[in-house]
Amino acid sequence: MNRRMARMRTRMDFLRDLGIGKTNSGAYCGKWLKCSGAVLESRNPATGKVIAKVKQAGPEDYEKCLAAAHEAFLRWREVPAPKRGEIVRRVGNAIRARQEALGRLVTLENGKILQEGLGEVQEAIDIADFAVGQSRMLYGLSMHSERPAHAMREQWHPLGVVGVVTAFNFPMAVWAWNSMIAWICGDPCVWKPSSSTPLCAIGLVNACRPILEEEGFGALATLCIGSGRDVGQKLLEDARVPLVSFTGSTAVGRKVAGTVAQRFGRTILELGGNNAVVLMEDADLKLAIPAIVFGAVGTAGQRCTSTRRVLVHESILSEVERRLLAAYESIPIGDPMDGKTLCGPLIDEDAVKTMIDALERVKAEGGRVLYGGGRVKLGGRLAGGHFVRPAIVSAENHYGIVQEETFAPILYLIPVGGLDEAIAKHNAVPQGLSSAMFTLNVRHAERFLSAAGSDCGIANINIGTSGAEIGGAFGGEKETGGGRESGSDVWKAYMRRQTNTVNWSTALPLAQGVKFGD
């Protein structure tokens, strides 16, 4: 018993290193608050056991958080952008120094395998590095005035407090995508994380806050863990929050967009995905099959970019099916901390039920389950875990359940007869996040990437739908929401544009040659 307890303490040391105890405060705004809300239990999806508890923020705690973040904004906006970038560089290094502990925390609380947990923290490090360079490139424009001795220019100013609402499936990276860019733009963030992964938020804030507190700007990383009523709705309705970045379902995203728009606020929405891989008859299956398996099974199918559909040319359908079945047979399911595991648990029991219900629906519509789909019961400490066997289903694109996003490892195989049919079926879903085509035909590839091809925000050739790099703008179209996060020029979403005209003449000419009096 003593040896077992010693091993358990060793496994959980990283929680202590990240400042996580048995009971934790759910609100930070430059200091940890003594919260007044209900207690939230964080559970390990691989075991079903409680990891730790969090005392959530109540309405008064939310008000303290927003007041602190707004006060920080009034000072932070005056700090030169390259200086902001220097502080972000130090924050990125602080995360880098704790990557192992943070990655293990993601795996413990979220259930994704350890390699993916570490990879998620790497995303946070990468976007910090990206933001440091961007802090010296918040470029405006110089324009020619039609009036003599006048100068015109366009510049960008800090926007204000940014609300960041994140989902359980990327409990650290998405906050980093938003916060690192927002910070170099001059904006503090108020973070409402998923109630399924509160410890990830606490651990990441604890890694960052010593740097920010040293500079007098701890409230840049304001954290407010609480219910939708006490925190979420207030954040959406708060005029002190000009921008809300929301990651979650399409149904909730509609409500977010409407509420924020009523007060003329802005939103960045990263909502559902129903991502497809198109396999043309000349597809290199040595590349395509591993990409599909990772896209469909990685994070147990709980990525917004997970591969949900494979639109496969009918001439290679049998071979693709054979190879996928063989690959799925060899997928190790189990403890996500074990380096041999490729498929960890779903987040909770509701997710398991959702997957089972989806498979019943597709069978009722005429689909055939070719592989998997049931619960996986493991023994020992994993007996209470939410494990399933990834499923492969023969289906048609028009089935109602295929048109929906099911956040679970279900892969639909859908035959197509040629390029036109493949693109038509690919686009014939409400979502538009990520897409991929495998082909060696440059005409097929360029058609897929053209205006007449994929209607998604992300379109790839000969790589899968999942695993976007931080350098590109991340987001989608249609019911995916239309917003963008991470790289490229998304920094503009976190700033306000201002056009300036300077008259350095001794006259007052009006634009368009208008004459007004003498």
Side-chain angles (χ1 to χ4, degrees), residues 1-9:
M1 176 67 73
N2 290 336
R3 286 195 298 270
R4 186 162 65 248
M5 291 300 293
R7 287 196 299 271
M8 179 62 72
R9 282 195 296 270

Side-chain angles (χ1 to χ4, degrees), residues 196-211:
S196 297
T197 50
L199 302 183
C200 286
I202 292 170
L204 187 53
V205 166
N206 275 337
C208 299
R209 68 182 180 86
I211 305 300

Side-chain angles (χ1 to χ4, degrees), residues 176-187:
W177 289 357
N178 285 276
S179 62
M180 301 302 169
I181 301 298
W183 290 350
I184 60 104
C185 290
D187 307 328

Side-chain angles (χ1 to χ4, degrees), residues 352-374:
V352 175
K353 292 177 181 177
T354 295
M355 177 175 177
I356 292 172
D357 289 347
L359 291 173
E360 290 301 315
R361 282 184 59 188
V362 75
K363 286 189 289 187
E365 292 190 70
R368 292 184 300 114
V369 177
L370 305 176
Y371 180 85

Side-chain angles (χ1 to χ4, degrees), residues 411-425:
L411 182 67
Y412 299 114
L413 290 186
I414 301 165
V416 294
L419 180 62
D420 289 341
E421 182 183 353
I423 291 176
K425 287 185 174 180

Side-chain angles (χ1 to χ4, degrees), residues 273-275 307-309 351-369 391-414 428-431 479:
N274 195 348
N275 316 294
T307 304
R308 312 269 177 219
R309 299 175 294 145
V352 175
K353 292 177 181 177
T354 295
M355 177 175 177
I356 292 172
D357 289 347
L359 291 173
E360 290 301 315
R361 282 184 59 188
V362 75
K363 286 189 289 187
E365 292 190 70
R368 292 184 300 114
V369 177
I392 302 174
V393 180
S394 175
E396 292 294 339
N397 201 64
H398 65 269
Y399 291 170
I401 188 62
V402 176
Q403 292 284 307
E404 299 174 12
E405 178 190 46
T406 302
F407 230 49
I410 301 175
L411 182 67
Y412 299 114
L413 290 186
I414 301 165
V429 294
Q431 310 83 1
E479 290 190 1

